[in-house]
């Protein structure tokens, strides 16, 4: 079992907030760039 203190973290490219690893991202953690679908959609709109 993971403890929240040792989970890897990244910074969202859109909102610049830190977010932690989630089980649903286990297979593609290296490609995850945004903390949520909302940030992903907003980033696409601003391009």
């Amino acid at each position: 079992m993971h403890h929240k203190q040792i989970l890897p973290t990244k910074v969202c490219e859109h909102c610049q907030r830190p977010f932690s690893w989630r089980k649903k991202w286990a297979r593609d953690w290296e490609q995850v760039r945004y903390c949520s679908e909302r940030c992903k959609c907003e980033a696409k709109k601003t391009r």
Side-chain angles (χ1 to χ4, degrees), residues 11-34:
V11 176
C12 178
E13 289 185 11
H14 181 69
C15 68
Q16 300 301 312
R17 293 183 187 164
F19 63 97
S20 298
W21 181 92
R22 295 183 190 167
K23 189 170 182 170
K24 70 178 185 176
W25 293 329
R27 286 187 281 159
D28 59 346
W29 175 244
E30 296 300 320
Q31 288 77 34
V32 174
R33 296 169 46 194
Y34 305 106

Side-chain angles (χ1 to χ4, degrees), residues 13 33-34 40-47:
E13 289 185 11
R33 296 169 46 194
Y34 305 106
K40 186 176 179 179
C41 292
E42 290 293 322
K44 286 184 180 181
K45 286 180 185 177
T46 59
R47 282 187 186 178

